[in-house]
Amino acid sequence: GIPTTGELAVDAHAQGEVVKTVIKFSGFGYLPNLTRFAPTVNGQTFWEYLVDKRFSKVNFSLYDGSFWDAFRARFWSEEIPDIDMDLNNINDQDEHGMTWINNEWASGVTNLLNYERQRMEIVNPDKPSIVAVNSGSMHGDSRDGTEYTLDITNGGMWEGFMRYTYDWDYIYQNMQV
């Protein structure tokens, strides 16, 4: 998935260079900047670089699909108190607001997952090209802005099964969204 260590983001920079593509958020770590503002890597957009790096490390022709864990379909203001996706040294929450941040992020996520599917179709022309994310990013609820993930993935893999759920009715309702 998207590395919580920032390994792939750091790997794209020279030693000692400031890393401008990583977003620190509360919880377990870092996310790379998937927006149109992220610097290119060897002429590639950052989402293309991430996908190509994954495909260089794993022989995806052996699999029907791919899975992204440690994934975010949107952000909440409290989890990213200082974010600068457009790299102009101004906090994007102050400059643009959360709607702008989430729209830019959703565009980058869409580009990433669509490119991943294209790569899957090339290495597996006779297999389904399944792209899934962790279920915590796949609510399909227009109130939280994540419904777009239903259009660009084949679904979500249940995150923390029975850890973040309470009973069968809750699981069933969540899967119906």
Side-chain angles (χ1 to χ4, degrees), residues 26-47:
S26 65
F28 56 82
Y30 299 90
L31 294 174
N33 184 346
L34 298 178
T35 71
R36 60 192 167 111
F37 303 104
T40 59
V41 180
N42 300 325
Q44 286 185 292
T45 61
F46 200 70
W47 59 85

Side-chain angles (χ1 to χ4, degrees), residues 3-147:
T4 58
T5 62
E7 171 202 349
L8 293 180
V10 173
D11 193 32
H13 293 77
Q15 185 173 357
E17 184 179 4
V18 174
V19 178
K20 296 182 178 179
T21 60
V22 177
I23 299 168
K24 173 72 174 117
F25 68 103
S26 65
F28 56 82
Y30 299 90
L31 294 174
N33 184 346
L34 298 178
T35 71
R36 60 192 167 111
F37 303 104
T40 59
V41 180
N42 300 325
Q44 286 185 292
T45 61
F46 200 70
W47 59 85
E48 290 170 326
Y49 170 78
L50 283 175
V51 170
D52 287 349
K53 190 76 164 179
R54 280 168 50 103
F55 275 70
S56 74
K57 291 184 174 202
V58 176
N59 180 0
F60 279 95
S61 68
L62 302 174
Y63 304 100
D64 290 334
S66 66
F67 171 69
W68 290 84
D69 197 1
F71 200 79
R72 283 289 191 268
R74 73 173 309 280
F75 294 110
W76 290 267
S77 61
E78 60 274 4
E79 71 180 346
I80 50 166
D82 186 16
I83 186 168
D84 184 20
M85 294 189 307
D86 60 4
L87 306 176
N88 66 357
N89 295 316
I90 301 171
N91 186 326
D92 289 336
Q93 285 196 53
D94 299 334
E95 183 180 20
H96 304 293
M98 287 307 297
T99 299
W100 181 90
I101 289 169
N102 282 317
N103 287 340
E104 290 293 334
W105 183 254
S107 178
V109 166
T110 299
N111 289 331
L112 174 93
L113 296 179
N114 284 338
Y115 186 66
E116 177 105 340
R117 187 178 306 281
Q118 290 170 8
R119 289 296 311 269
M120 289 297 296
E121 289 170 352
I122 291 168
V123 300
N124 289 324
D126 299 325
K127 294 181 183 177
S129 296
I130 299 169
V131 176
V133 297
N134 67 319
S135 62
S137 289
M138 181 148 231
H139 304 293
D141 188 339
S142 61
R143 292 171 296 168
D144 72 7
T146 57
E147 73 280 354

